[in-house]
């Protein structure tokens, strides 16, 4: 006779194994955060999630299957205690985990971030006992629980834009004995009722640093967030806030990406062929090809962010062999087409999109291809700009928030 499932006990050795793996990883983790990981039952926050089947349908869409304790207990518990990000929601629709169904395609809109990244974020933000913390993006509530375990629940505020997602997270948190301040709110505006905070940590990405977060952080406090944009370039930055509404900090190394805040998601731009139809007939030879931005390398990851800063409203799409850049704000567009080992560029509109990208790539190469940690983000009344001492004149304006 099979023994009944007992996740409370079965999870204990799996949590210990996960903590041991964290201790042996390349990213140093504060022992206090490892202790929090060992104490928090992640399975309480993940009644279900989706895993890819490895197949695609006739339209090329990824097929996802639900995983719950009822469907496959062993697979569910093993995945919960793996160092993996688990997708819990698509297209803003909260699943019914009592009667889950498969999913095809769609955009992930909520997940449980891999535990090593969660503790890395809390560590990078220099969160310590006695700090008051604002977390943006409660998600499943697991990272909130880690913060409550390390600090005290009364020092933790977490906001989530999705009310059903927050309700599920709240039930899990309260069920584990954690009582942080929770609110349905758009993280773009922080959470004034509990301000000011010593630390602000965002589990979603923004196109630009939201001014409200600076105003809600104590002088000397720190904000850790991920900047992103419509080219899907990402950079993490740790800002230190001054008392006059300004902040400054270096970009952090690595290739971390987060889902965009829902108000900062890229807009639809229609049919790319319509944009290409209005471009000049005569192309020019490109100085750089799009693979500088699209290659699966750390440098391309970094370059995509730099390029995005100089053309903040551009989006990139590849159809067949043609790469399209479309800017719905200015009405500008460009195409890159391969021909005889070169890329041919046609561009039109008030902003020469690829020409701007090429200038950034030229400056980057001339400076010796500096890594993200050599760039500083400065936020003040006149805007938000990247600065680099070895790249004269390369002051990149970040995107407007809307």
């Amino acid at each position: 006779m099979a023994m009944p499932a007992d996740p409370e006990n079965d999870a204990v050795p799996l949590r210990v194994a996960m903590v041991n793996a964290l201790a042996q990883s390349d990213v140093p983790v504060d022992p206090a955060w490892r202790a929090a990981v060992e104490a928090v039952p992640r399975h309480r926050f993940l009644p279900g999630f989706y895993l890819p089947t490895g197949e695609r349908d006739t339209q090329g869409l990824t097929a996802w299957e639900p995983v719950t304790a009822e469907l496959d207990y062993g697979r569910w518990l093993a995945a919960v205690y793996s160092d993996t990000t688990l997708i819990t929601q698509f297209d803003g629709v909260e699943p019914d985990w009592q009667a889950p169904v498969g999913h095809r395609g769609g955009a992930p809109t909520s997940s449980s971030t891999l535990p090593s990244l969660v503790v890395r974020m809390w560590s990078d933000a220099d969160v310590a006992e006695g700090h008051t913390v604002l977390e943006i993006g409660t998600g499943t509530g697991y990272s909130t629980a880690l913060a409550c375990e390390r600090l005290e629940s009364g020092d933790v505020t977490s906001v989530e834009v999705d009310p059903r997602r927050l309700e599920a997270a709240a039930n899990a948190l309260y069920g584990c004995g954690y009582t942080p301040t929770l609110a349905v709110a758009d993280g773009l505006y922080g959470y004034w009722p509990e301000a000011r905070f010593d630390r602000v940590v965002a589990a979603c990405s923004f196109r630009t640093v939201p001014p409200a977060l600076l105003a809600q952080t104590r002088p000397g406090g720190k904000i850790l967030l991920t900047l992103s944009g419509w080219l899907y370039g990402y950079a993490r930055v740790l800002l230190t806030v001054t008392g006059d509404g300004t902040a400054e900090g270096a970009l952090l190394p690595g290739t971390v990406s987060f889902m965009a805040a829902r108000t900062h998601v890229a807009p639809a731009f229609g049919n790319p062929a319509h944009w290409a139809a209005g471009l000049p007939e005569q192309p020019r030879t490109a100085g750089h090809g799009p693979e500088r931005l699209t290659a699966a390398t750390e440098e391309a990851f970094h370059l995509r962010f730099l390029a995005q800063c100089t053309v903040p409203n551009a989006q990139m799409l590849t159809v067949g062999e043609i790469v399209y850049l479309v800017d719905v704000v200015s009405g500008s567009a460009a195409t890159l087409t391969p021909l005889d080992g070169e890329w041919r560029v046609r561009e039109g509109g008030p902003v020469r999109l690829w020409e701007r990208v090429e200038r950034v790539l030229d400056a980057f190469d001339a400076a010796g291809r500096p890594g993200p940690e050599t760039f500083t983000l400065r936020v003040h009344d006149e805007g938000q700009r990247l600065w680099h001492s070895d790249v004269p004149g390369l002051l990149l304006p970040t995107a407007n928030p809307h």
Side-chain angles (χ1 to χ4, degrees):
M1 182 175 178
M3 295 293 290
D6 181 12
E8 299 306 316
N9 287 318
D10 294 344
V12 173
L14 296 177
R15 249 189 340 266
V16 171
M18 190 166 71
V19 170
N20 290 337
L22 286 176
Q24 296 168 11
S25 68
D26 294 335
V27 180
V29 178
D30 185 323
W33 286 115
R34 291 206 300 269
V37 172
E38 190 167 1
V40 174
R42 193 186 187 205
H43 63 274
R44 298 270 198 97
F45 298 87
L46 282 162
F49 47 86
Y50 293 99
L51 292 177
T53 65
E55 300 176 355
R56 293 179 180 271
D57 66 11
T58 55
Q59 295 180 315
L61 299 176
T62 299
W64 299 83
E65 61 180 331
V67 179
T68 67
E70 291 73 23
L71 290 172
D72 188 333
Y73 176 74
R75 186 185 187 199
W76 168 76
L77 196 62
V80 164
Y81 287 101
S82 64
D83 192 27
T84 306
T85 293
L86 299 171
I87 305 298
T88 55
Q89 186 192 84
F90 288 93
D91 302 319
V93 178
E94 188 69 11
D96 177 3
W97 292 115
Q98 299 304 310
V101 295
H103 196 90
R104 294 185 180 275
T109 47
S110 189
S111 66
S112 180
T113 303
L114 66 160
S116 63
L117 178 54
V118 173
V119 296
R120 177 179 166 190
M121 287 176 61
W122 288 125
S123 298
D124 285 346
D126 194 23
V127 173
E129 288 78 0
H131 284 159
T132 55
V133 172
L134 171 64
E135 177 190 42
I136 297 172
T138 313
T140 65
Y142 175 68
S143 61
T144 318
L146 292 177
C148 291
E149 183 69 33
R150 169 71 192 271
L151 308 175
E152 292 187 10
S153 291
D155 291 331
V156 179
T157 298
S158 186
V159 298
E160 168 63 49
V161 74
D162 186 325
R164 288 193 63 190
R165 181 89 299 279
L166 187 68
E167 181 182 7
N171 288 337
L173 285 161
Y174 299 154
C176 291
Y178 303 118
T179 57
T181 297
L182 300 174
V184 176
D186 188 335
L188 183 67
Y189 306 103
Y191 196 62
W192 281 105
E194 296 293 320
R196 291 186 171 185
F197 302 99
D198 296 302
R199 297 290 186 269
V200 176
V201 177
C204 60
S205 63
F206 295 99
R207 295 184 71 203
T208 188
V209 180
L213 301 188
L214 270 65
Q216 293 176 30
T217 304
R218 300 182 195 280
K222 297 180 180 181
I223 300 173
L224 177 71
L225 52 73
T226 302
L227 297 172
S228 64
W230 298 347
L231 286 182
Y232 298 100
Y234 297 89
R236 285 199 314 150
V237 63
L238 181 62
L239 295 167
T240 299
V241 177
T242 64
D244 56 358
T246 64
E248 182 174 309
L251 301 187
L252 302 180
T255 55
V256 174
S257 59
F258 279 100
M259 298 173 191
R262 297 190 187 183
T263 47
H264 282 193
V265 172
F269 57 79
N271 187 335
H274 295 168
W275 292 84
L279 298 179
E281 290 295 328
Q282 188 61 37
R284 67 174 177 84
T285 300
H288 298 275
E291 68 277 358
R292 291 293 304 271
L293 308 184
T294 60
T297 63
E298 286 200 25
E299 182 177 278
F301 187 93
H302 175 42
L303 283 176
R304 221 164 24 248
F305 178 73
L306 297 183
Q308 183 176 272
C309 288
T310 198
V311 287
N313 299 314
Q315 299 179 65
M316 182 182 286
L317 175 72
T318 301
V319 179
E321 291 187 320
I322 302 176
V323 178
Y324 295 84
L325 269 77
V326 174
D327 181 340
V328 300
V329 177
S330 71
S332 304
T335 62
L336 292 99
T337 305
L339 180 65
D340 299 330
E342 297 180 326
W343 287 91
R344 306 293 284 172
V345 184
R346 297 165 58 214
E347 50 191 338
V351 179
R352 293 296 186 264
L353 297 173
W354 195 248
E355 185 177 312
R356 283 195 178 184
V357 172
E358 288 178 323
R359 286 203 294 267
V360 171
L361 295 175
D362 286 341
F364 176 79
D365 291 343
R369 300 186 172 187
E373 64 278 2
T374 64
F375 288 80
T376 298
L377 180 68
R378 292 175 174 170
V379 182
H380 46 76
D381 290 341
E382 298 177 3
Q384 303 182 16
R385 294 178 175 270
L386 282 178
W387 180 85
H388 191 286
S389 60
D390 294 332
V391 188
L394 187 58
L395 302 176
L396 304 182
T398 60
N400 295 324
H402 300 293

